[in-house]
Amino acid sequence: GLPALDTCLVRNVNYTPYAEEVKIQGTVYVSVGVEIDGAISDGKILGEVGGGGDEEAIRVVKSMPHWSPGKQMGRPVRVIFNLPIKFALQ
């Protein structure tokens, strides 16, 4: 579910040294496909922040474990959605 997704992102998203140095912050939007077997596909950047954040967002999305597939009328279906990944310095 969403709490597990948030935990996965927090644990796996890393700032690049350059992005940290120049204090790049923002949200990367990634178009994500979840196949009928739960596999992740189609990591495409829709909104960028630069400084390596875009590539990092794609890396993390592609490394995610299988999800529960979407269902329509009780049958698994392919789903595409937009995932915001926020980069913020503390």
Side-chain angles (χ1 to χ4, degrees):
L2 292 178
L5 172 60
D6 290 341
T7 300
C8 179
L9 293 175
V10 167
R11 288 184 180 165
N12 293 298
V13 172
N14 299 307
Y15 257 89
T16 63
Y18 173 75
E20 211 168 350
E21 181 182 325
V22 296
K23 299 184 182 354
I24 292 175
Q25 298 187 78
T27 304
V28 176
Y29 294 91
V30 183
S31 176
V32 177
V34 179
E35 301 298 327
I36 61 171
D37 66 352
I40 300 292
S41 66
D42 293 338
K44 295 179 188 173
I45 299 293
L46 302 176
E48 305 176 359
V49 295
D54 311 330
E55 294 82 3
E56 178 64 5
I58 290 292
R59 182 194 69 78
V60 170
V61 165
K62 288 186 175 183
S63 71
M64 286 182 179
H66 279 52
W67 292 26
S68 297
K71 291 195 177 186
Q72 186 172 29
M73 296 175 65
R75 300 175 77 176
V77 293
R78 185 172 193 267
V79 177
I80 297 176
F81 68 98
N82 298 331
L83 175 65
I85 299 177
K86 186 175 183 178
F87 288 84
L89 294 169
Q90 295 181 3

